[in-house]
Amino acid sequence: MTTVAVPVVFVIDDDDLIRAAIQGMLKSVGLRSETFGTPQEFLRSKRPDGPSCLILDVRLPGISGLDFQRELADAGIRIPIIFITGHGDIPMTVKAMKSGAVEFLTKPFRDQDLLDAINQALDRDRVMRQRQSELGKLRMRYDLLTAREREVMAMVVSGMLNKQIASELGTSEITVKIHRGHVMRKMGARSLADLVRMAEALGISGANA
């Protein structure tokens, strides 16, 4: 039986009252949360591996929320971010949204607006985690292919015919068909179109695999 991970909402704000208010509101609707006064505290924390999002104040001591957003991206930490601020402006909002923020809320905001943004962020994170999981499984299947099977796969998805592949590799068409069958079976592809989609997800193009 698979255990469903409980979603967590992280909050980074240097204002104790804001943190307490948001945490209380989240608790009232059954959402688990963890709060931090600085980005450094958040980075030092052991975060559970499950759906999550981050409520981030734009103005923090020592670093702006926008700079921290970029730091997280550079470090490969992908978490949907909801910005909150008491001093929002249009250029700041545009910059945050272009960098992938889910929402940009100016204090004081309605609880429902924040909850709507949180639900959207958690849904986005669930989808992202599902895609990452599927890609991980795809990579594991690809790793099972032999070097020759990878060559054949790259040529197949580039649109080459079996006889063209055989000529390119200096082998027989029958051998190519055998390799192609192994590729389809190991990758779990039901059709050529299926294999092409898998190759695109893995970043394989033409004979460059």
Side-chain angles (χ1 to χ4, degrees):
M1 185 174 177
T2 304
T3 302
V4 178
V6 177
V8 181
V9 179
F10 299 107
V11 182
I12 302 178
D13 196 305
D14 61 329
D15 188 322
D16 295 347
L17 294 177
I18 294 291
R19 291 202 308 273
I22 293 175
Q23 191 164 38
M25 185 269 290
L26 294 174
K27 186 176 181 181
S28 72
V29 295
L31 281 171
R32 179 184 166 194
S33 63
E34 294 181 20
T35 66
F36 308 90
T38 67
Q40 291 73 26
E41 289 176 20
F42 170 76
L43 290 174
R44 286 195 298 265
S45 69
K46 182 174 174 58
R47 296 179 296 281
D49 185 20
S52 61
C53 67
L54 174 62
I55 298 172
L56 180 61
D57 192 3
V58 168
R59 298 182 187 275
L60 294 164
I63 184 173
S64 76
L66 293 174
D67 287 340
F68 187 57
Q69 179 188 32
R70 188 173 61 251
E71 280 190 18
L72 288 174
D74 290 345
I77 300 174
R78 297 179 180 177
I79 182 170
I81 296 175
I82 300 160
F83 280 105
I84 57 175
T85 180
H87 312 280
D89 56 45
I90 292 175
M92 189 185 292
T93 304
V94 170
K95 184 177 179 181
M97 299 304 284
K98 278 187 174 180
S99 297
V102 174
E103 188 56 274
F104 197 101
L105 300 173
T106 302
K107 304 171 189 174
F109 44 78
R110 295 188 314 133
D111 286 354
Q112 191 57 52
D113 289 338
L114 181 57
L115 285 173
D116 289 345
I118 288 169
N119 286 326
Q120 183 183 345
L122 291 175
D123 285 345
R124 181 187 292 187
D125 197 47
R126 287 187 187 98
V127 170
M128 183 173 64
R129 286 173 179 276
Q130 179 65 25
R131 285 176 180 164
Q132 288 175 337
S133 174
E134 290 170 358
L135 183 57
K137 292 173 184 175
L138 204 55
R139 285 193 179 118
M140 287 175 66
R141 293 203 291 269
Y142 183 70
D143 287 343
L144 295 175
L145 300 182
T146 64
R148 179 47 60 96
E149 286 167 355
R150 292 182 189 185
E151 283 183 295
V152 170
M153 176 176 171
M155 293 178 184
V156 167
V157 299
S158 74
M160 293 175 67
L161 301 174
N162 287 345
K163 62 182 179 181
Q164 293 173 317
I165 297 172
S167 174
E168 182 75 23
L169 296 178
T171 189
S172 70
E173 196 171 340
I174 292 293
T175 300
V176 170
K177 286 181 180 178
I178 291 170
H179 285 313
R180 184 169 178 159
H182 289 167
V183 169
M184 297 294 283
R185 178 177 54 79
K186 289 182 181 180
M187 293 302 296
R190 291 164 296 194
S191 65
L192 175 57
D194 210 8
L195 191 65
V196 169
R197 282 192 292 271
M198 291 176 178
E200 287 175 350
L202 290 166
I204 299 168
S205 59
N208 297 321

